[in-house]
Amino acid sequence: MSALSEKKPILQVKDLRTYFYTEDGIVKAVDGVNFEVYEGETLGIVGESGCGKSVTSLSILRLLDEKGKIESGQIVYKGKNLLELSEDEMRKIRGNEIAMIFQEPMTALNPVYTIGDQIMEAIMLHQKLPKDEARKLSIEMLRKVGIPEPEKRVDEYPHELSGGMRQRAMIAMSLSCNPSILIADEPTTALDVTIQAQILELMKQLQNEYGMSIIMITHDLGVIAEVSDRVLVMYAGKAMEYAGVRELFKNPKHPYTWGLMNSIPRLDVEYERLNAIPGTVPDALHFPEGCRFHTRCELATDKCRVEEPPLEEVAPGHFSACWHVDKLEAAIAVQREGESA
Amino acid sequence: MTAYIIRRLLLLPLVLFGITLIVFGLFQMLGPDKLLSAYINPNLAEKLSPEEMERFKDKYGLNDPLIVRYGKWISSVLRGDLGWSLVGKEPVASAMAKRIPFTVELALYALVPVVGVGIWLGVAAAVRHNSPVDHFIRIFAIVGWSFPDFVFGLFVLMIFYSVLGWFPPGNMSLWAEEIFKSSAFKHITGLPSIDALLNGQFGVFLDCLRHLVGPILTISWLWWAYLLRITRSSMLEVLRKDYVRTARAKGLDERTVINKHARRNAMIPVTTVAGAMIIGLLSGTVIVEAVFNRTGIGSFVATAATQLDYASVMGGVLFYSTILVLGNLIIDILYAIIDPRIRLT
Amino acid sequence: MEKEYKRMLKKFFRNPSGVLGLALLFFFIFVAIFAPVIAPPQPSNKYEPYMMPIVTWSPDPQPPSKEHPFGVSERRDIFYGVVWGTRTAFRIGLIVTGVSTLIGLFIGSISAYYGGWIDEILMRITDIFLSIPFLIAAIVLTTLLGTGLDKVMIAMIVFGWMGTARLIRGNILQAKEEQYVLAAKAIGVSTPGIIVKHLLPNTIFPVLIQASMRMGSLVITAAILSFLGLGAPQGYSDWGAILNYARNWMLGAHGEALKYWYTIVFPGTAMVLFVLAWNLIGDTLRDIFDPRLRI
């Protein structure tokens, strides 16, 4: 963990298990996940929908609905285990120390209050500023996130703003209390491609300015490559691979990661067919025995079907949960050779 | 917004025109003989010869075509003449003027507990989703909704009047009525209980309230059940919305999340059924006045109907329709205030 | 599709309130069918069994006894009236709901399918019908037609179709844009053919749920009109009319406030349970078809 480990982790998630108790049975949405977030860095969490990445982020802020329960694990933020805090103490963390933005800027803002009201609310709550100063700060924040005419926009309702502008307002709201960590749950998925790039650029720029850490949750490896420092790949509630971003893209050590990368079409390669990962994400109520990915893995053997591989360090600072890292390396080598030929 | 309100108010006569045209048209199917009773004192009518009757029919234009008759009727209505009330034994307009305050008072007083408690129960159930409180409120709602208001009113009378002697039927006690009708009693707002307070007659005020409890309870019962069901499901839906999660992620406490962020949004679908509620309240007064033996516009119309007193019924229709149209306007305005996405133009 | 029905039936029977509602309904159906056995008509009313027999000449109500298990009110046997009143309730509910729903279906589907000025006119008419309070409207119409149960039913039909019309119109407008309707149009299926074959089946369930929810409230309205003296004639087996008798007696006798409780409690309970049965069934159906609206 050479260069990365010199920095201090600001958040450590240890063996997190979050289960949902539904009418049909127990859904083990997150089942033993570990990761760290370092100061001023971005952790990307990537996976298909239903892999548990959003539940992980909601677990950090303890915002699960009534059916969801954190079974075990630790979420250590600045030396405190968030799971042991009282609800009152937790509220002082939310929005103030750890803020969050969501996928749908359309629905994540309350339609019956103005943008300004909603930003001021957090400022007045955590920074105890009087109303007029909170308003000034709100306008300031709106300007920072690149909303034109912030003095006017502050009194507008969410429906009067475009999707991109709403997500900017959402970012302004989440950063208004200068949090140490910003959790972004698919912040660009609902936006047009050009707007996506603008928002990612804005987040990077604000990260430089404020020095906060970001947890970027997405299904899009392109977004991960653009903004992350390290990456956690999740599948069916488990961590599959965990590594620095360059290392991960250069030397993927898990067949799932490799499959995700291959399913992005490339212009420089001629395909006979698009390399989608075969099959679908397993039913959350009945995850398979052994390695959870084995039902879709081309390298799977009998061992994979019975025994679950642990997440192990396979290279310095690079963790993977696979019995057949060597087979994968060989397969990748063959494919890359074919491409360059 | 002001322009919108003014336009809607200008539309009011048009709507009333449509409604009265339908009702008037229906009544004309009765034929001139029956209709004549709406114009002349029946005691007088008995002494008239057939020729004189024809003269009267001509005089009141009962033999004219429908359009002409409607025109005449509407012009006399505009002059404040609604015809002769068999039930009131006086002109319809003055008979109604005497009764409307009691009905309006009842509806206004009932509105507060109906809306307040109904919404409160709905929110309370939704916030405690699937808890014993929630189950209890749900059972109350479905049983309450199945309880016809007049049956419930009979039970209320039996228990609170016959057994306990707390809340008697009628508008007010005899002694209070004497004071109320005396010349010293000034009628300022028209609402009996409020006027009693303004006259310094605290005893009369309390007596009015005592007579209102039973009717209000009866009206409220049914509408609590209705409102709480709608509030509950609407609130449950809102509580699952992303912006509620955003509010929690901001670090707001649960009370602010529910009272500020969730409840206002949950009220939007509730306002859409408020129109149905006004109709319900109005119909409720008809039943409640009959059960509790109150003289009001509702029992007036009901009695008039049983005695085939057309003029009085027409007067009642005018009154109820006006209230309904005005009520719908107020709801539209409320709707726009709650939901900024609605623009009244 | 068949599997889907089975799944819904299973869901219905897993819901305790649905089962309770159905049990109550079957009880009332049983009473209605076997009314002549449960409460055999007397020789005096053999030819008009819906008239409650006069059993005493004393005007005072009589408490429940062996011969008259629910007591006597206005000289008539309450038990007999409650039993035969079940038939009256079913007749009112089914006829009024059936006919007004058909009218609503007709107007709503015409309005939605053709759109344009036909839609505009039909919807404005619907608005005007809606802007007269239902009970007042029913009172007005009964005034015109004269009192009687059949008149009450006509009044409730004339002012009872608007909700269905609006519902079906909204649903059809939505379904109209669906691919299968466009496809049917493209291959030249006639307009009434499209409405009957494609649009109605897909929008009928919400209407059925609404109808079952309305059964209860219609029976209440009819009872109110009878209670106000506009409905069933004197002596007819109708719950609302029996309750009307109780008005004179509900205040009890001197010193005995609850002396005549049976004049209210038996017909009142019958009515509440009847309405409850329909509401429970309607509620459960709605739960199954639209879990989002779960109450």
Side-chain angles (χ1 to χ4, degrees):
Chain A
M1 277 203 202
S2 54
L4 288 166
S5 59
E6 284 159 25
K7 293 192 175 175
K8 274 200 329 222
I10 190 165
L11 182 83
Q12 286 171 289
V13 172
K14 296 176 187 168
D15 196 34
L16 177 70
R17 287 170 204 273
T18 304
Y19 296 173
F20 285 82
Y21 294 84
T22 68
E23 282 168 25
D24 303 313
I26 301 171
V27 174
K28 298 179 177 178
V30 177
D31 205 9
V33 167
N34 294 279
F35 60 84
E36 294 88 30
V37 180
Y38 293 89
E39 265 176 24
E41 281 192 4
T42 300
L43 171 78
I45 302 182
V46 67
E48 286 163 285
S49 54
C51 71
K53 54 193 196 303
S54 289
V55 175
T56 304
S57 65
L58 290 173
S59 300
I60 294 171
L61 279 178
R62 284 170 46 189
L63 285 175
L64 299 160
D65 66 31
E66 51 194 277
K67 285 182 182 131
K69 204 171 156 259
I70 299 174
E71 285 294 311
S72 63
Q74 284 185 328
I75 297 172
V76 182
Y77 169 76
K78 290 188 177 169
K80 286 175 291 191
N81 183 357
L82 296 184
L83 300 181
E84 285 165 2
L85 296 186
S86 71
E87 187 55 27
D88 276 337
E89 291 168 315
M90 195 61 216
R91 273 201 292 273
K92 292 199 182 93
I93 303 269
R94 288 184 200 133
N96 193 22
E97 309 239 0
I98 304 176
M100 189 159 180
I101 55 178
F102 299 98
Q103 176 171 358
E104 282 280 347
M106 185 81 189
T107 56
L109 288 166
N110 195 326
V112 302
Y113 294 105
T114 61
I115 301 291
D117 277 340
Q118 296 185 56
I119 300 179
M120 281 155 65
E121 196 177 25
I123 298 174
M124 281 153 69
L125 176 74
H126 294 299
Q127 307 198 9
K128 310 275 183 279
L129 288 182
K131 203 168 176 182
D132 51 332
E133 279 182 50
R135 188 183 157 85
K136 260 186 233 156
L137 184 55
S138 307
I139 296 173
E140 191 48 39
M141 289 308 301
L142 289 177
R143 198 189 316 277
K144 274 233 169 79
V145 297
I147 290 183
E149 297 181 273
E151 298 86 356
K152 195 176 132 234
R153 295 290 179 173
V154 76
D155 291 321
E156 285 184 0
Y157 290 95
H159 70 274
E160 294 170 289
L161 271 59
S162 68
M165 283 299 149
R166 269 195 287 254
Q167 197 57 292
R168 282 172 195 265
M170 200 61 210
I171 293 172
M173 187 165 94
S174 56
L175 293 185
S176 61
C177 293
N178 201 358
S180 313
I181 300 177
L182 175 67
I183 302 175
D185 187 353
E186 307 254 8
T188 57
T189 308
L191 303 173
D192 290 345
V193 182
T194 46
I195 312 283
Q196 276 187 20
Q198 288 173 15
I199 295 286
L200 290 178
E201 191 50 46
L202 172 72
M203 288 180 68
K204 267 205 270 188
Q205 172 207 325
L206 290 169
Q207 186 176 30
N208 286 336
E209 193 178 332
Y210 285 89
M212 78 269 184
S213 311
I214 294 178
I215 301 177
M216 172 66 74
I217 291 162
T218 178
H219 66 278
D220 185 345
L221 273 180
V223 171
I224 291 286
E226 193 157 336
V227 300
S228 310
D229 294 298
R230 45 179 46 233
V231 184
L232 176 72
V233 181
M234 283 184 74
Y235 182 80
K238 292 265 182 191
M240 296 286 120
E241 191 169 4
Y242 182 47
V245 67
R246 282 162 171 270
E247 168 70 11
L248 184 91
F249 278 91
K250 219 164 106 191
N251 297 313
K253 300 269 191 239
H254 196 285
Y256 179 58
T257 316
W258 179 237
L260 281 181
M261 287 177 184
N262 271 339
S263 57
I264 303 172
R266 276 164 51 183
L267 291 175
D268 57 345
V269 179
E270 250 178 66
Y271 295 98
E272 282 175 33
R273 63 182 176 92
L274 199 56
N275 296 307
I277 305 175
T280 51
V281 182
D283 175 7
L285 283 166
H286 313 285
F287 282 139
E289 290 284 303
C291 175
R292 289 190 178 173
F293 185 58
H294 84 253
T295 51
R296 300 171 72 188
C297 183
E298 286 171 356
L299 304 175
T301 59
D302 285 343
K303 190 181 187 187
C304 303
R305 284 181 260 277
V306 187
E307 212 174 324
E308 191 171 343
L311 188 71
E312 277 178 331
E313 192 161 9
V314 290
H318 193 148
F319 297 78
S320 168
C322 182
W323 294 121
H324 303 299
V325 176
D326 45 348
K327 262 162 84 181
L328 176 69
E329 280 167 351
I332 292 172
V334 171
Q335 187 186 342
R336 287 195 172 151
E337 204 148 299
E339 278 171 24
S340 54
Chain B
M1 183 103 115
T2 326
Y4 174 81
I5 295 171
I6 292 171
R7 227 190 41 240
R8 281 287 295 268
L9 284 176
L10 289 176
L11 270 174
L12 173 64
L14 219 71
V15 175
L16 288 180
F17 174 77
I19 293 169
T20 51
L21 192 61
I22 291 179
V23 179
F24 189 86
L26 287 173
F27 275 126
Q28 296 312 308
M29 300 190 307
L30 288 167
D33 288 312
K34 278 191 171 178
L35 287 171
L36 189 59
S37 62
Y39 293 88
I40 52 172
N41 188 328
N43 299 326
L44 187 70
E46 279 169 22
K47 295 173 196 140
L48 294 175
S49 66
E51 292 76 35
E52 283 172 308
M53 289 281 272
E54 278 308 309
R55 263 223 329 279
F56 269 109
K57 279 183 205 163
D58 280 337
K59 182 184 168 195
Y60 291 110
L62 293 177
N63 295 324
D64 293 341
L66 179 66
I67 294 298
V68 178
R69 272 179 288 156
Y70 181 73
K72 280 185 180 161
W73 179 79
I74 205 108
S75 70
S76 70
V77 166
L78 290 176
R79 273 179 276 114
D81 178 11
L82 290 164
W84 180 262
S85 165
L86 292 172
V87 172
K89 298 185 180 61
E90 60 182 324
V92 173
S94 58
M96 282 175 58
K98 265 186 215 156
R99 290 166 172 84
I100 285 174
F102 290 102
T103 301
V104 169
E105 187 173 61
L106 172 60
L108 285 181
Y109 276 123
L111 200 62
V112 179
V114 165
V115 175
V117 178
I119 289 174
W120 177 72
L121 282 175
V123 172
V127 170
R128 293 169 191 77
H129 187 39
N130 279 337
S131 74
V133 176
D134 184 29
H135 291 306
F136 180 78
I137 292 178
R138 270 171 72 178
I139 293 171
F140 168 78
I142 188 115
V143 175
W145 187 237
S146 308
F147 227 111
D149 35 9
F150 72 102
V151 177
F152 186 77
L154 291 175
F155 280 124
V156 167
L157 257 186
M158 204 160 79
I159 292 164
F160 288 102
Y161 177 58
S162 305
V163 178
L164 299 169
W166 292 351
F167 308 127
N171 289 19
M172 54 179 84
S173 307
L174 275 177
W175 61 266
E177 201 162 347
E178 253 168 53
I179 298 174
F180 183 71
K181 284 186 174 157
S182 68
S183 55
F185 193 93
K186 288 187 192 66
H187 298 267
I188 301 154
T189 61
L191 301 178
S193 64
I194 305 295
D195 282 350
L197 267 188
L198 294 175
N199 278 284
Q201 294 283 2
F202 202 64
V204 176
F205 171 70
L206 283 183
D207 189 65
C208 283
L209 290 192
R210 237 161 70 95
H211 286 81
L212 277 167
V213 174
I216 289 174
L217 193 62
T218 307
I219 292 184
S220 303
W221 168 264
L222 188 72
W223 290 98
W224 281 339
Y226 184 68
L227 253 190
L228 95 81
R229 281 159 66 109
I230 288 162
T231 310
R232 180 175 173 276
S233 60
S234 157
M235 192 73 185
L236 279 180
E237 204 174 323
V238 167
L239 283 175
R240 280 194 287 265
K241 286 272 162 73
D242 286 354
Y243 52 77
V244 170
R245 198 174 52 183
T246 307
R248 290 203 178 108
K250 255 187 228 180
L252 296 174
D253 61 289
E254 204 52 26
R255 243 182 59 210
T256 316
V257 172
I258 287 163
N259 291 345
K260 187 177 170 192
H261 286 269
R263 200 169 57 191
R264 187 156 163 196
N265 280 287
M267 282 306 104
I268 294 170
V270 175
T271 18
T272 56
V273 302
M277 233 187 66
I278 291 184
I279 299 178
L281 272 180
L282 291 178
S283 309
T285 59
V286 178
I287 297 148
V288 153
E289 283 172 2
V291 172
F292 287 87
N293 208 13
R294 289 173 66 85
T295 44
I297 193 80
S299 58
F300 176 70
V301 175
T303 325
T306 54
Q307 300 187 13
L308 304 184
D309 176 358
Y310 317 110
S312 303
V313 173
M314 274 303 273
V317 170
L318 261 187
F319 170 76
Y320 277 111
S321 304
T322 312
I323 297 279
L324 186 65
V325 173
L326 284 179
N328 278 328
L329 171 62
I330 292 172
I331 288 162
D332 282 353
I333 294 168
L334 268 180
Y335 199 59
I337 291 173
I338 294 177
D339 188 351
R341 284 165 293 186
I342 310 282
R343 285 271 164 271
L344 300 181
T345 44
Chain C
M1 201 62 189
E2 199 158 311
K3 209 175 150 202
E4 183 74 354
Y5 282 127
K6 269 195 190 140
R7 199 178 57 84
M8 283 174 174
L9 272 180
K10 220 170 107 190
K11 260 187 164 174
F12 189 97
F13 283 106
R14 234 195 278 157
N15 189 326
S17 54
V19 173
L20 177 64
L22 212 58
L24 278 172
L25 185 64
F26 276 122
F27 171 73
F28 280 110
I29 291 175
F30 177 84
V31 171
I33 291 175
F34 294 102
V37 182
I38 300 169
Q42 309 290 307
S44 63
N45 68 337
K46 217 163 144 189
Y47 298 105
E48 36 186 17
Y50 284 97
M51 298 307 284
M52 299 157 67
I54 292 173
V55 294
T56 170
W57 294 109
S58 147
D60 280 8
Q62 289 171 13
S65 61
K66 227 179 155 193
E67 300 88 69
H68 310 298
F70 288 179
V72 175
S73 183
E74 289 288 306
R75 306 200 299 267
R76 292 170 200 272
D77 182 27
I78 298 179
F79 181 74
Y80 187 92
V82 168
V83 169
W84 285 81
T86 310
R87 285 189 168 195
T88 313
F90 271 114
R91 199 172 67 225
I92 295 171
L94 290 174
I95 292 179
V96 175
T97 311
V99 177
S100 63
T101 300
L102 281 181
I103 296 176
L105 273 177
F106 182 72
I107 292 186
S109 49
I110 296 283
S111 193
Y113 193 83
Y114 288 101
W117 61 271
I118 295 181
D119 180 34
E120 188 66 25
I121 288 177
L122 287 176
M123 283 303 113
R124 290 298 80 74
I125 292 175
T126 311
D127 283 348
I128 289 189
F129 271 85
L130 276 171
S131 59
I132 307 174
F134 180 64
L135 190 63
I136 302 292
I139 289 176
V140 168
L141 215 57
T142 332
T143 321
L144 274 165
L145 303 168
T147 57
L149 218 48
D150 45 345
K151 314 289 182 352
V152 162
M153 278 157 66
I154 292 174
M156 289 200 299
I157 289 169
V158 169
F159 286 96
W161 51 270
M162 294 89 76
T164 313
R166 280 195 168 179
L167 183 72
I168 201 80
R169 175 178 174 271
N171 282 337
I172 290 186
L173 281 184
Q174 228 170 28
K176 224 170 126 178
E177 303 303 317
E178 307 270 357
Q179 294 299 325
Y180 62 89
V181 175
L182 296 179
K185 248 185 171 170
I187 59 169
V189 179
S190 70
T191 302
I194 290 176
I195 292 184
V196 172
K197 253 182 119 175
H198 295 273
L199 290 177
L200 285 184
N202 287 288
T203 50
I204 208 89
F205 271 123
V207 174
L208 282 181
I209 295 171
Q210 196 200 37
S212 88
M213 302 280 280
R214 261 182 16 164
M215 279 288 288
S217 66
L218 281 172
V219 170
I220 292 182
T221 309
I224 288 169
L225 291 170
S226 280
F227 178 75
L228 293 174
L230 296 167
Q234 184 75 15
Y236 196 84
S237 296
D238 175 89
W239 297 336
I242 304 173
L243 283 163
N244 188 19
Y245 305 154
R247 285 170 80 179
N248 301 326
W249 308 106
M250 65 194 165
L251 301 184
H254 187 68
E256 264 186 285
L258 292 178
K259 192 174 177 190
Y260 304 120
W261 58 273
Y262 46 87
T263 58
I264 300 176
V265 169
F266 292 118
T269 308
M271 206 168 148
V272 171
L273 291 180
F274 186 83
V275 177
L276 186 64
W278 286 105
N279 283 350
L280 286 173
I281 291 170
D283 236 30
T284 310
L285 287 178
R286 194 179 44 183
D287 274 6
I288 294 170
F289 289 111
D290 193 355
R292 233 165 28 90
L293 291 174
R294 219 185 129 87
I295 292 280

